[in-house]
């Protein structure tokens, strides 16, 4: 059975039952990823920090196309946009009940290269993505306490040496071969299965399905290292704990994952240079500039700057010295580049704080005036405007009774239609995330593990 918009409500009880019976969940949103948009170079860089990559992905969906149209066409497009938004809103509010049920189950959620999937899910069904990466980490682990990325898992020992290609399609094929033992899948009556022989790649449901198969094959392979060997390794096994809450970072050379449960890796990058140059320069110009330093890697930042990594760190200072008297380009170490960026960030923050202080001072002075208007209604040329603030009712951190009601499907259709998932402040989201975290500590979720993880397999701190 395929559950779509038209039969969603009538089959919601089956979805809840499946959530209750499942050992884990595999998800795939089939989002466009960082390869689309203005340019791959603008959205990725081999030396992005986790904070920089998060900010790039967070801003990605804000790109818009502006075109010139007449007034009638503009109104027609606006009406179509509003109608579409209303329809999507109703669907999102309805499906959010499923997302909340999965989150409240506390069970393992699996994806392949899943950072963007997680970001979209948190933003769409909980609250706007916070500006700060650490706040995003805290919010995400409150909503989904256990996440596992099969792309990272396949890129890590003991799989790294026997899996050459970690793209989902190639991974699924490799895990059907020795030494892996793929699971045999039997579909329940009335639920026809996908056929992996007739690939349906890039359909979200199919990709989620084979992601789940890949996880089972890799988890069972870990059991072969035990004494005696174990044929089946469950989603609650300590063997897979080292892979929890580490999301694969695409196209970052020396930081393989985003760590949701702590600080991210901080490689030294003492072999990396930051170079600025004229807009007319091409990659060949950079290769010519560093021709005396052997093999190099170039990661473009924008039209006038790039990172250049040398094969030997001791050559870095020599390269920096060669640019001291150059007029058309400038070379600095990666540490100098980061230091300057930090200084600029601190300066901007200070300007912002000073600006707010000035605003507060002026507001305090204006409040001392005898006839300063204090109401919230403003009249201009006979028109009256009021401002209203709506708060979203559907959130991950309401009272426990609301959570249970949502899982059991007891929200009425009226409540469902009145729920607004699009308006909630960052501060409210943070408060609710912290509240949910406390609740989940008090109530150990189904399938949670309280013991320390096994040390047999570890995701390395260096790559």
């Amino acid at each position: 059975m395929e559950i779509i918009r038209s039969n969603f409500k009538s089959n919601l009880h089956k979805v809840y039952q499946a959530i209750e019976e499942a050992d884990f969940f595999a998800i795939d949103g089939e989002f466009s990823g960082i390869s689309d948009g203005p340019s791959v170079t603008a959205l990725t860089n081999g030396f992005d920090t986790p904070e920089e990559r998060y900010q790039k992905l967070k801003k990605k969906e804000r790109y818009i196309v502006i075109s010139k149209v007449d007034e009638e066409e503009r109104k027609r497009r606006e009406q179509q946009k509003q109608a579409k938004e209303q329809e999507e809103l109703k669907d999102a509010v309805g499906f959010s009940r499923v997302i909340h049920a999965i989150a409240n189950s506390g069970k393992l959620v699996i994806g392949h290269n899943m950072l963007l999937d997680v970001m979209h899910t948190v933003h769409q069904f909980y609250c706007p993505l916070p500006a700060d990466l650490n706040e995003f980490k805290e919010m995400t682990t409150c909503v989904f306490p256990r996440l596992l990325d099969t792309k990272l898992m396949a890129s890590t020992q003991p799989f790294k040496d026997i899996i050459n290609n970690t793209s989902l399609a190639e991974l699924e094929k490799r895990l059907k071969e020795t030494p892996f033992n793929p699971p045999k899948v039997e579909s329940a009556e009335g639920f026809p299965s996908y056929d992996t022989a007739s690939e349906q790649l890039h359909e979200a449901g199919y990709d989620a399905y084979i992601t789940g198969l890949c996880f089972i094959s890799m988890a069972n392979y870990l059991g072969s290292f035990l004494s005696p060997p174990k044929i089946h390794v469950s989603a609650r096994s300590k063997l897979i704990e080292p892979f929890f809450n580490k999301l694969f970072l695409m196209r970052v050379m020396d930081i393989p994952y985003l760590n949701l449960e702590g600080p991210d890796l901080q490689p030294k990058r003492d072999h990396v240079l930051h170079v600025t140059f004229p807009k007319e320069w091409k990659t060949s110009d950079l290769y010519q500039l560093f021709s005396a330093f052997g093999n190099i890697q170039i990661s473009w930042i924008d039209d006038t700057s790039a990172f250049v990594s040398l094969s030997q760190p001791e050559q870095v200072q020599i390269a920096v010295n060669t640019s001291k008297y150059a007029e058309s380009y400038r070379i600095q170490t990666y540490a100098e580049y980061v230091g300057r960026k930090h200084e600029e960030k601190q300066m901007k923050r200070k300007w912002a704080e000073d600006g707010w202080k000035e605003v507060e001072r002026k507001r305090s002075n204006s409040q001392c005036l005898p006839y300063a208007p204090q109401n919230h209604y403003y009249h201009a040329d006979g028109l009256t405007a009021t401002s209203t603030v709506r708060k979203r009712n559907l959130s991950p951190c309401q009272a426990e009774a609301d959570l249970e009601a949502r899982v059991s499907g007891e929200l009425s259709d009226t409540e469902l239609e009145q729920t607004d998932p699009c308006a909630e402040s960052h501060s409210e989201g943070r408060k609710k995330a912290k509240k949910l975290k406390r609740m989940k500590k008090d109530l150990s979720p189904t399938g949670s593990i309280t013991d320390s993880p096994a040390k047999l397999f570890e995701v390395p701190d260096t790559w």
Side-chain angles (χ1 to χ4, degrees):
M1 174 184 293
E2 185 178 18
I3 297 179
I4 56 178
R5 180 184 302 171
S6 60
N7 66 358
F8 174 74
K9 283 188 178 180
S10 60
N11 288 286
L12 190 55
H13 66 286
K14 294 182 181 179
V15 177
Y16 286 136
Q17 183 180 354
I19 291 173
E20 181 67 27
E21 295 173 355
D23 289 324
F24 65 88
F25 308 100
I27 64 171
D28 188 280
E30 196 50 41
F31 297 119
S32 57
I34 55 180
S35 298
D36 295 342
S39 73
V40 175
T41 304
L43 291 171
T44 66
N45 184 281
F47 292 104
D48 280 341
T49 63
E51 173 71 34
E52 290 168 338
R53 178 58 58 85
Y54 171 70
Q55 297 299 338
K56 288 180 180 181
L57 292 176
K58 181 172 174 287
K59 293 177 181 177
K60 177 187 179 297
E61 299 306 321
R62 298 179 185 174
Y63 290 109
I64 59 175
V65 177
I66 300 175
S67 59
K68 186 177 181 180
V69 295
D70 58 36
E71 185 65 18
E72 185 177 344
E73 176 68 10
R74 188 192 65 78
K75 289 181 179 179
R76 187 182 66 82
R77 288 189 182 184
E78 186 64 25
Q79 289 173 349
Q80 289 178 341
K81 179 183 176 183
Q82 289 177 355
K84 183 179 179 182
E85 286 177 348
Q86 286 297 319
E87 190 66 26
E88 290 177 347
L89 179 61
K90 290 175 64 177
D91 293 340
V93 172
F95 189 72
S96 65
R97 300 166 78 176
V98 176
I99 298 296
H100 286 298
I102 292 174
N104 296 333
S105 73
K107 295 178 181 178
L108 181 63
V109 176
I110 294 165
H112 189 83
N113 196 14
M114 67 188 302
L115 175 57
L116 200 58
D117 296 291
V118 172
M119 290 176 66
H120 274 280
T121 302
V122 170
H123 178 78
Q124 181 74 20
F125 299 108
Y126 284 88
C127 55
L129 293 174
D132 181 71
L133 174 61
N134 289 327
E135 291 178 10
F136 166 74
K137 290 182 179 182
E138 183 177 6
M139 183 179 296
T140 300
T141 52
C142 286
V143 175
F144 298 114
R146 295 195 299 158
L147 295 170
L148 186 145
D149 194 322
T150 51
K151 188 171 183 70
L152 179 69
M153 190 176 185
S155 305
T156 308
Q157 296 294 4
F159 305 103
K160 187 177 181 180
D161 292 338
I162 54 178
I163 296 176
N164 296 323
N165 190 331
T166 60
S167 67
L168 184 56
E170 294 302 316
L171 179 62
E172 188 266 336
K173 292 176 184 177
R174 177 66 184 92
L175 293 175
K176 288 180 179 178
E177 303 169 352
T178 307
F180 302 102
N181 185 22
K184 293 179 175 60
V185 179
E186 294 183 5
S187 300
E189 186 177 350
F191 291 85
S193 174
Y194 284 111
D195 181 8
T196 56
S198 58
E199 296 177 345
Q200 295 172 256
L201 295 169
H202 304 299
E203 178 187 312
Y206 180 79
D207 285 358
Y209 171 67
I210 62 174
T211 295
L213 296 182
C214 290
F215 164 71
I216 294 173
S217 295
M218 289 191 288
N220 290 344
Y221 178 71
L222 295 180
S224 66
F225 291 87
L226 297 177
S227 183
K230 195 173 183 179
I231 297 176
H232 174 68
V233 174
S234 77
R236 294 177 293 275
S237 171
K238 288 178 168 51
L239 288 175
I240 61 173
E241 277 194 359
F243 304 101
F244 284 176
N245 296 332
K246 296 177 176 70
L247 306 184
F248 187 82
L249 286 177
M250 195 76 169
R251 301 191 186 99
V252 178
M253 293 184 181
D254 49 8
I255 306 178
Y257 61 86
L258 178 71
N259 184 12
L260 294 177
E261 293 189 319
D264 292 297
L265 305 181
Q266 293 184 324
K268 291 174 64 177
R269 294 182 175 175
D270 54 356
H271 65 300
V272 180
L273 296 166
H274 177 262
V275 189
T276 55
F277 42 80
K279 190 174 182 178
E280 295 74 27
W281 278 32
K282 297 179 174 60
T283 301
S284 57
D285 296 304
L286 290 172
Y287 275 116
Q288 183 176 351
L289 179 64
F290 290 93
S291 58
F293 296 92
N295 292 329
I296 64 170
Q297 281 188 313
I298 299 172
S299 297
W300 284 80
I301 301 172
D302 52 37
D303 291 341
T304 60
S305 63
F307 291 121
V308 176
S309 58
L310 306 182
S311 56
Q312 299 177 9
E314 57 269 18
Q315 294 180 323
V316 164
Q317 198 55 51
I318 300 174
V320 172
N321 292 338
T322 61
S323 72
K324 283 185 177 180
Y325 304 103
E327 296 182 358
S328 61
Y329 65 90
R330 184 175 183 275
I331 301 175
Q332 60 181 334
T333 66
Y334 181 81
E336 291 171 339
Y337 164 76
V338 172
R340 288 177 183 272
K341 281 194 67 176
H342 181 70
E343 289 176 4
E344 291 173 2
K345 190 175 181 179
Q346 292 293 101
M347 187 68 69
K348 288 180 181 179
R349 183 177 298 173
K350 185 177 185 304
W351 288 345
E353 290 174 353
D354 291 344
W356 279 112
K357 287 177 183 178
E358 181 65 16
V359 170
E360 287 294 322
R361 185 186 66 77
K362 289 182 178 179
R363 190 172 69 173
S364 298
N365 292 340
S366 66
Q367 287 174 346
C368 296
L369 296 175
Y371 298 104
Q374 298 297 322
N375 59 45
H376 297 286
Y377 295 81
Y378 303 93
H379 303 271
D381 298 329
L383 299 176
T384 303
T386 63
S387 67
T388 60
V389 178
R390 292 181 297 169
K391 291 185 179 179
R392 183 180 62 179
N393 297 323
L394 192 58
S395 73
C397 308
Q398 291 176 342
E400 182 181 352
D402 293 337
L403 295 175
E404 292 176 352
R406 195 179 294 115
V407 173
S408 60
E410 293 174 2
L411 280 175
S412 67
D413 290 345
T414 303
E415 290 173 317
L416 190 63
E417 292 171 358
Q418 291 176 346
T419 305
D420 180 1
C422 298
E424 181 172 15
S425 68
H426 295 300
S427 59
E428 287 174 339
R430 289 196 295 271
K431 290 176 183 177
K432 290 179 179 180
K434 291 178 180 178
K435 183 178 179 182
L436 181 63
K437 197 168 189 176
R438 290 195 299 269
M439 290 172 63
K440 289 190 176 181
K441 284 183 179 179
D442 296 337
L443 302 172
S444 180
T446 305
S448 65
I449 305 171
T450 56
D451 299 331
S452 59
K455 297 297 182 182
L456 184 56
F457 310 106
E458 292 291 346
V459 178
D461 291 337
T462 57
W463 217 245

